[in-house]
Amino acid sequence: MIYVSALLIGVVAGLRTMTAPAITSWAARCGWLNVQGTPMAWMGAAVTPWIFTVLALAELVGDQLPKAGSRKAPGPFIARIVMGALCGAAVGASAGMLAIGAVLGAIGAVIGTLGGFEFRARLARAFGRDLPAALIEDAVAISLALLAVYRKG
């Protein structure tokens, strides 16, 4: 299950770069992901979820603007892979598999970036405009992130 969760949080990073670390850090803070005693323990620090949440909210707003750049451009694509690896590492660290989690998170980010681009483009064509597609993508990203990190305490 950890493998699927690490891959899935990477997919989220591919959809929304900062949503993945925001929800992952909240999961670490709330104890859903036990990262204490691992190199990823900082994800559960008191301030970390707040920082990532502010960045995620800014991204959600910025993504709706007409000047939002392509997720497939080198900078944004690399950022998504890095965040996917980071979040995958946190998920993996919770089960003693930090490196495997990081690799799966990075792979998931590539899948999410390319698949999310195509998914949103098709939705936008179906709706005749981008906004509904963007909002659906936001909801999918948040839902998948919660699914990936939630663990019953």
Side-chain angles (χ1 to χ4, degrees):
M1 192 63 186
I2 289 298
Y3 298 129
V4 173
S5 293
L7 185 71
L8 198 57
I9 200 66
V11 169
V12 172
L15 297 174
R16 292 288 178 271
T17 312
M18 300 312 294
T19 297
I23 292 180
T24 301
S25 62
W26 278 112
R29 183 73 186 151
C30 293
W32 296 349
L33 293 177
N34 183 6
V35 293
Q36 293 177 349
T38 75
M40 301 306 296
W42 62 273
M43 288 289 280
V47 69
T48 308
W50 294 104
I51 293 168
F52 280 129
T53 298
V54 168
L55 294 171
L57 291 172
E59 180 185 33
L60 291 173
V61 171
D63 184 62
Q64 311 307 320
L65 302 175
K67 298 228 182 223
S70 172
R71 71 183 77 200
K72 297 191 313 183
F77 203 148
I78 291 167
R80 290 165 193 269
I81 293 169
V82 168
M83 286 299 149
L86 173 79
C87 295
V91 169
S94 72
M97 297 184 285
L98 185 141
I100 292 170
V103 170
L104 289 171
I107 291 168
V110 172
I111 293 167
T113 300
L114 299 176
F117 177 84
E118 187 62 31
F119 172 72
R120 181 165 167 179
R122 288 180 187 207
L123 278 178
R125 281 192 300 274
F127 285 115
R129 59 193 185 116
D130 188 61
L131 182 60
L135 295 174
I136 289 170
E137 187 180 17
D138 292 343
V140 167
I142 293 166
S143 298
L144 288 177
L146 290 170
L147 180 67
V149 301
Y150 179 72
R151 307 282 184 277
K152 290 183 181 176

